[in-house]
Amino acid sequence: MTVKKYKSGLTVIVERNDALRSVTAGIMVGAGSVYETPENNGISHFIEHMQFKGTATRTAEDIVSGFDRAGAAYNAFTGKEYTCYYFKSIDEKTECCFELLSDLFCNAAYESSELDRERKVITEEINMSKDEPDGVCYDLLYKTAFGGSLGMEILGTKENVARFGKSDIESYKKQNYLPGNTVAAFVGNITEEKAYALVEKYLSSLVDAQYTEPVSLEPQIFKSGYGEFIHDYEQSEISIAFPTFPVGDDRAPTLSALDCILGNGMSSRLFQRLREKMGVVYSVYTSPWLGKTNGVFTVCANVNVVNTQRAAEAIKNELDILLKNGVTEEETEKAKMQLKVTALFGKENPMNYMLALMRKRIILGVDYDIDELISRIEKITPAKIEELAHGLFTEKATFAYVGKKPQCNIDTAFANTETH
């Protein structure tokens, strides 16, 4: 892997792999919902859509037809801390696809007719998202836990989407779409020289720009509480969040090991207890999210409303058992193997590896080093996992529930459960 950083702050990462006949390339910018305000919440996602809707020299149809003629896979997505645009093509079509990607990233036109058309599409996307209890619960959990920009929905509000104009987009991009906040990456059958030449040819406006300091983020206060959205869904969703630490913390691999043991996979403790032995959930899992300034560890369960109290009590019981009895050496070694395999398999998947390279640069400003990660995983011990678990699960949690009216509040059922 080679990394080149221009004076403007633009960073380019190249992972050459001559064994492939394809190239996966992307542009990631540090602009997501955590950089928004209530007044412009949703604009990061709105911009992501609008980048594909025409440039100074291409229509929206020209853009997608160009990618399709090259046989490329292409898309974009918006997260809380970044937005990414990418494609995967055969190696001989890399230049034409990267030229298209660069054009839509740098030269989007934001014509009023396209803005009005896309508002309808995004409004329908927002409506669809409300039909999925797990997504609604995820948003409600973050809103309850943080309240600030970390608690805002990535899709934004329909009211904001209805009034976003070209000036709103340009103002936000001027503040956040900066070369010093942007990473381009190539993984596959491409030389470093060719990749840098493509960047300097098609992203010249970013290469030649003056350096501007990106917007910094401040830590946001985690608040314990309970959020509830009662709706006639067939299934209900329970989510419980505990505050953790930012992504750069040395304990991040240990948190991932705890995730494996407690709720990541069919052999995890929660799955075996709630799904296999009790049969009270369709799915149950844990998930750590670590960002620039904050982190959370969540436990989620998809249940029938009649089983919500039993599920909450069983989750609490499993956490108490872990705190009381710890984890075994066998569980720890299995978790470490799962983490190593995930990292190594990820490197063999060009798309996953490219995203890992860019995320590490965008969030931490450092290189993704898989050998260093493996070394850190090897140092995980049962004692480290237990120490971390005690730090997490003795903190006050935040709860969210979405579904039909339960027999009792989930936080009450959770708090009143004792280990047995």
Side-chain angles (χ1 to χ4, degrees), residues 261-312:
I261 292 170
L262 188 59
N264 188 345
M266 295 175 67
S267 66
S268 64
R269 291 187 179 191
L270 287 172
F271 192 93
Q272 284 295 309
R273 171 78 177 276
L274 276 76
R275 166 73 183 252
E276 299 299 282
K277 295 178 182 177
M278 296 177 63
V280 295
V281 301
Y282 174 73
S283 68
V284 60
Y285 60 92
T286 55
S287 178
W289 178 85
L290 304 181
K292 278 189 176 182
T293 61
N294 288 82
V296 293
F297 185 88
T298 59
V299 183
C300 303
N302 181 260
V303 302
N304 186 290
V305 64
V306 300
N307 292 323
T308 51
Q309 182 170 346
R310 288 185 67 204

Side-chain angles (χ1 to χ4, degrees), residues 64 66-74 87-90 93 97 100:
V64 295
F67 280 121
D68 287 342
R69 279 195 302 271
Y74 56 96
F87 71 83
K88 181 177 182 179
S89 71
I90 59 174
K93 292 295 183 179
C97 289
L100 281 166

Side-chain angles (χ1 to χ4, degrees), residues 30 133 141 190 303:
L141 183 71
I190 186 170
V303 302

Side-chain angles (χ1 to χ4, degrees), residues 34-49:
V34 294
Y35 293 95
E36 298 170 356
T37 66
E39 291 72 31
N40 69 3
N41 179 214
I43 198 164
S44 300
H45 176 255
F46 191 81
I47 291 170
E48 176 221 312
H49 276 241

Side-chain angles (χ1 to χ4, degrees), residues 44-90:
S44 300
H45 176 255
F46 191 81
I47 291 170
E48 176 221 312
H49 276 241
M50 288 307 305
Q51 301 290 81
F52 286 85
K53 299 306 171 184
T55 69
T57 58
R58 287 184 171 92
T59 65
E61 185 177 358
D62 290 336
I63 292 171
V64 295
S65 294
F67 280 121
D68 287 342
R69 279 195 302 271
Y74 56 96
N75 213 329
F77 64 88
T78 305
K80 287 187 174 295
E81 296 185 336
Y82 48 78
T83 303
C84 183
Y85 307 83
Y86 62 88
F87 71 83
K88 181 177 182 179
S89 71
I90 59 174

Side-chain angles (χ1 to χ4, degrees), residues 199-327:
V199 168
E200 290 163 14
K201 182 177 181 180
Y202 297 115
L203 291 179
S204 59
S205 61
L206 300 182
V207 171
D208 299 333
Q210 293 292 318
Y211 177 78
T212 302
E213 188 71 28
V215 176
S216 60
L217 291 174
E218 295 296 326
Q220 298 188 33
I221 297 173
F222 181 96
K223 299 172 292 184
S224 61
Y226 178 72
E228 185 178 77
F229 178 69
I230 304 303
H231 188 77
D232 191 25
Y233 293 117
E234 285 299 316
Q235 290 288 306
S236 299
E237 192 79 14
I238 299 169
S239 291
I240 307 164
F242 298 89
T244 60
F245 37 74
V247 68
D249 195 286
D250 289 340
R251 295 169 292 173
T254 305
L255 185 67
S256 296
L258 175 61
D259 174 45
C260 290
I261 292 170
L262 188 59
N264 188 345
M266 295 175 67
S267 66
S268 64
R269 291 187 179 191
L270 287 172
F271 192 93
Q272 284 295 309
R273 171 78 177 276
L274 276 76
R275 166 73 183 252
E276 299 299 282
K277 295 178 182 177
M278 296 177 63
V280 295
V281 301
Y282 174 73
S283 68
V284 60
Y285 60 92
T286 55
S287 178
W289 178 85
L290 304 181
K292 278 189 176 182
T293 61
N294 288 82
V296 293
F297 185 88
T298 59
V299 183
C300 303
N302 181 260
V303 302
N304 186 290
V305 64
V306 300
N307 292 323
T308 51
Q309 182 170 346
R310 288 185 67 204
E313 291 172 349
I315 290 170
K316 176 60 161 56
N317 184 236
E318 279 301 313
L319 298 184
D320 286 343
I321 290 172
L322 190 151
L323 293 180
K324 181 180 179 180
N325 299 332
V327 299

